[in-house]
Amino acid sequence: MGRGQRWVLGHGRWFGFGLLPALVTFVLYAAALAALAFWADDVAAWATPFADGWDETWRSILRGLFAVLLWLGALLLSVLTFTAVTLLVGDPFYEKLSEQVEESEGDCPEGLDRPLWLELWASLCDSLYVLWRALLFAVPLFFLGFVPVIGQTVVPALGFCVSGFFLTLELVSVAMQRRGIPVRERLAILRTRRALALGFGVPLVLAFLVPLVAVVLMPGAVAGAALLVRDLMDAGTGGDGDVAAGEVQGGAAADPRVNPAAGTRPPGGSSQ
């Protein structure tokens, strides 16, 4: 993550280039979260009709807790989907930025030759898949948030880890799409390097909680993801140019193969 931020700060023109899509998306998300905060009490009352006959104190505590957890859940969801929406809105911007990062490092893949609408459609489908996988964790964690003590300590920590992992998956999509790696194989590759994925994504999730920070860090996050993918490809490239993706859940081995024509570098190539 630090390497990506240093890269964009050292290339000021590309830093400004990458700010535009993130700024537009941030304004939209800020407006949505503000509206949810304004209507959260009404939503809580609508969702808990069984508490209408409770004592006013307990009813207020329950609905207040529900409203807070609802807004926090929306905030975490916005952190996760912010990247997906920003990448979709700024697909041409971030594709060019990612290419520039790889060109500066040498041996940039040529990418797939397909029209812009098809690129946007592929990005949307990939983002929906990532969101669906993330919700499989986020929904149970939301309800576990009502459990005393654990819901206020362990659950938020797990939520940040889940968000960080899938945020990394979203960010590496730009460079991995250029190599022709499907989203399921990207997930399998990152599972073999969970610590790396969390180390990259969790600090970004925490930083994205601060207003406007997501906008400022987004160009460097895309640049850092491009560098991260190069490290993954170097570490997993064998003598025949295949990527060793490790094991998938259930014990089945995943062997995502990278098309040499898409830019896979030979073993020993520098990622620095």
Side-chain angles (χ1 to χ4, degrees):
M1 186 186 72
R3 288 169 58 197
Q5 300 302 327
R6 288 196 299 271
W7 192 94
V8 294
L9 290 177
H11 300 76
R13 182 169 69 92
W14 291 102
F15 175 71
F17 185 77
L19 282 179
L20 298 177
L23 184 60
V24 171
T25 308
F26 175 81
V27 172
L28 296 175
Y29 270 74
L33 287 172
L36 179 60
F38 183 79
W39 295 102
D41 289 339
D42 294 329
V43 174
W46 170 82
T48 57
F50 56 85
D52 288 342
W54 290 14
D55 179 77
E56 182 178 356
T57 301
W58 290 108
R59 183 174 65 246
S60 299
I61 291 175
L62 173 67
R63 289 178 173 172
L65 179 61
F66 184 92
V68 170
L69 288 175
L70 176 65
W71 194 86
L72 289 177
L75 180 62
L76 285 176
L77 186 62
S78 69
V79 169
L80 179 62
T81 59
F82 176 86
T83 302
V85 174
T86 303
L87 290 176
L88 187 62
V89 170
D91 184 80
F93 291 81
Y94 293 128
E95 177 63 32
K96 192 65 178 177
L97 172 60
S98 181
E99 285 181 5
Q100 189 66 28
V101 172
E102 297 214 54
E103 285 177 3
S104 70
E105 298 292 307
D107 302 313
C108 177
E110 293 183 2
L112 304 177
D113 185 15
R114 54 187 182 184
L116 177 60
W117 72 267
L118 191 56
E119 291 280 356
L120 294 175
W121 174 252
S123 297
L124 177 60
C125 292
D126 289 351
S127 295
L128 290 176
Y129 174 81
V130 173
L131 179 60
W132 172 70
R133 294 301 298 262
L135 288 176
L136 293 179
F137 294 91
V139 172
L141 287 174
F142 173 79
F143 288 104
L144 286 174
F146 290 96
V147 179
V149 182
I150 294 178
Q152 293 75 49
T153 54
V154 177
V155 171
L158 290 176
F160 284 126
C161 290
V162 170
S163 298
F165 181 87
F166 286 102
L167 179 61
T168 301
L169 181 60
E170 278 287 354
L171 286 167
V172 300
S173 65
V174 178
M176 287 194 174
Q177 277 182 354
R178 190 158 54 247
R179 290 168 167 81
I181 303 176
V183 63
R184 289 173 176 81
E185 295 182 359
R186 297 172 213 163
L187 180 59
I189 292 172
L190 286 182
R191 279 175 179 162
T192 68
R193 301 289 300 279
R194 285 187 179 91
L196 177 63
L198 293 174
F200 181 81
V202 172
L204 281 174
V205 169
L206 296 173
F208 281 11
L209 295 177
V210 182
L212 289 177
V213 170
V215 177
V216 176
L217 293 185
M218 192 63 189
V222 173
L227 296 172
L228 185 149
V229 169
R230 292 173 69 88
D231 287 347
L232 287 173
M233 296 299 99
D234 280 347
T237 302
D240 59 353
D242 294 338
V243 177
E247 296 182 353
V248 185
Q249 285 179 339
D255 182 25
R257 297 186 176 269
V258 177
N259 183 356
T264 303
R265 291 180 294 150
S270 172
S271 64
Q272 300 300 321

